[in-house]
Amino acid sequence: EPEVTQTPSHQVTQMGQEVILRCVPISNHLYFYWYRQILGQKVEFLVSFYNNEISEKSEIFDDQFSVERPDGSNFTLKIRSTKLEDSAMYFCASSEALAHGETQYFGPGTRLLVL
Amino acid sequence: KQEVTQIPAALSVPEGENLVLNCSFTDSAIYNLQWFRQDPGKGLTSLLLIQSSQREQTSGRLNASLDKSSGRSTLYIAASQPGDSATYLCAVREWAGGSQGNLIFGKGTKLSVKP
């Protein structure tokens, strides 16, 4: 069964460093998302992406964040200058159809720790 | 602003028991509601998606209901098994005009099924 994959599974970085989190969505999906979950808290929406541009973004997704689909398969989240509070599990998700009713499929996540 | 609440926060039951998890949301203008399962340190697995026009969905031992007007959903698990132990998340997809509408998550119910 097709799956969303994410790399790396764990990343440790120093405050102020740039990190790039990578995702490979399900191949025939058109809509891509990033969410994060700070330890012990709710899963929070960051950004949605369609047709090579951002569809929607949350207040969390400030100028330190960017997303890109550099080729036909990868979808990346870049954090330019990490802060301690960026430590979280980051989930990528994808969905197939244009309709709002379509299920979002989540990857296993990347656990980011900023020291 | 949409808020999603799940009660109880944690639940421990003996194997074989039927159980109900509750989810409530403050704004009834939703596209759909999705139930997920999250195992410790892992990603989210979609269990059931209910469109706003539907009342319930079933998959195996799971049945999810939706009462949009009262802002409530329940996830019913029949004949619980130790393998059902996980955190169950409820998420609503907002009505967002022309955009995709992101998922708003509850904090989850942590279920433990004792052998």
Side-chain angles (χ1 to χ4, degrees), chain A residues 32-49:
Chain A
F32 315 116
Y33 314 85
W34 283 101
Y35 294 82
R36 79 171 185 191
Q37 185 178 33
I38 295 171
L39 189 63
Q41 298 189 24
K42 295 182 179 183
V43 176
E44 303 172 288
F45 169 76
L46 293 178
V47 65
S48 60
F49 191 86

Side-chain angles (χ1 to χ4, degrees), chain A:
Chain A
E1 185 175 329
E3 292 180 331
V4 176
T5 60
Q6 290 185 243
T7 54
S9 58
H10 295 79
Q11 173 122 26
V12 181
T13 189
Q14 295 291 324
M15 191 170 57
Q17 295 296 303
E18 175 183 285
V19 295
I20 297 176
L21 309 182
R22 291 182 168 78
C23 167
V24 179
I26 295 173
S27 62
N28 63 335
H29 285 190
L30 301 176
Y31 296 87
F32 315 116
Y33 314 85
W34 283 101
Y35 294 82
R36 79 171 185 191
Q37 185 178 33
I38 295 171
L39 189 63
Q41 298 189 24
K42 295 182 179 183
V43 176
E44 303 172 288
F45 169 76
L46 293 178
V47 65
S48 60
F49 191 86
Y50 168 71
N51 199 27
N52 282 320
E53 60 183 27
I54 291 173
S55 302
E56 191 172 359
K57 59 184 181 180
S58 71
E59 295 171 351
I60 302 167
F61 193 88
D62 62 20
D63 291 344
Q64 292 301 309
F65 291 89
S66 63
V67 289
E68 193 178 35
R69 189 155 162 82
D71 53 41
S73 60
N74 289 285
F75 178 51
T76 61
L77 174 69
K78 181 193 290 186
I79 309 175
R80 286 191 184 80
S81 178
T82 50
K83 302 187 283 284
L84 296 176
E85 53 265 38
D86 293 329
S87 296
M89 184 76 112
Y90 288 81
F91 294 108
C92 173
S94 67
S95 65
E96 181 178 2
L98 184 61
H100 288 246
E102 202 62 31
T103 299
Q104 292 185 22
Y105 294 89
F106 281 71
T110 293
R111 185 173 296 281
L112 176 66
L113 178 61
V114 182
L115 301 176

Side-chain angles (χ1 to χ4, degrees), chain A residues 33 37 40 42 45 100 103, chain B residues 4 32 38 93 99-100 107:
Chain A
Y33 314 85
Q37 185 178 33
K42 295 182 179 183
F45 169 76
H100 288 246
T103 299
Chain B
V4 179
N32 61 44
Q38 185 176 28
R93 192 162 204 183
S99 73
Q100 273 290 296
K107 205 168 181 182

